[in-house]
Amino acid sequence: VYFQAALAADGRNYRAAHELGVLFAQFGQYEDAKRLLLMSASVNATPETWHNLAVVHDRLGERDLAKKARYELQLASRGNSQRVTTSN
């Protein structure tokens, strides 16, 4: 509820979007998790977000998108700012 309220107050709250996305993924709501994690990554792409997004893409059977998210994870872990989109 708090994360949803934070997003309602500020639609660019990447931390709330990330945490809510993780919660949705834990409960098997992968499409919702993907939407929130993509939003979080679009505002502030952290290694944790890319990792979680790769896991969600895997769970959805989106192997190519999971591979792209893992590539972004490697770049983010090195502090590289290049981006590859992972949305459909």
Side-chain angles (χ1 to χ4, degrees):
V1 174
Y2 293 116
F3 296 132
Q4 289 173 326
L7 276 175
D10 178 5
R12 293 183 49 85
N13 186 330
Y14 65 90
R15 288 184 183 114
H18 178 263
E19 295 303 322
L20 190 55
V22 169
L23 288 173
F24 275 121
Q26 288 175 343
F27 288 96
Q29 297 177 12
Y30 300 117
E31 287 294 337
D32 290 325
K34 179 173 116 175
R35 178 180 53 81
L36 289 160
L37 291 169
L38 284 169
M39 191 284 285
S40 179
S42 74
V43 176
N44 185 30
T46 65
E48 295 81 11
T49 302
W50 288 120
H51 167 77
N52 290 326
L53 191 54
V55 170
V56 167
H57 283 309
D58 275 334
R59 298 286 165 91
L60 289 169
E62 301 170 340
R63 302 295 179 231
D64 289 340
L65 294 174
K67 183 178 177 181
K68 289 178 183 178
R70 285 190 183 85
Y71 176 73
E72 291 292 343
L73 168 60
Q74 290 176 347
L75 292 177
S77 295
R78 287 183 258 168
N80 195 327
S81 62
Q82 291 178 343
R83 299 281 314 274
V84 172
T85 184
T86 62
S87 61
N88 289 340

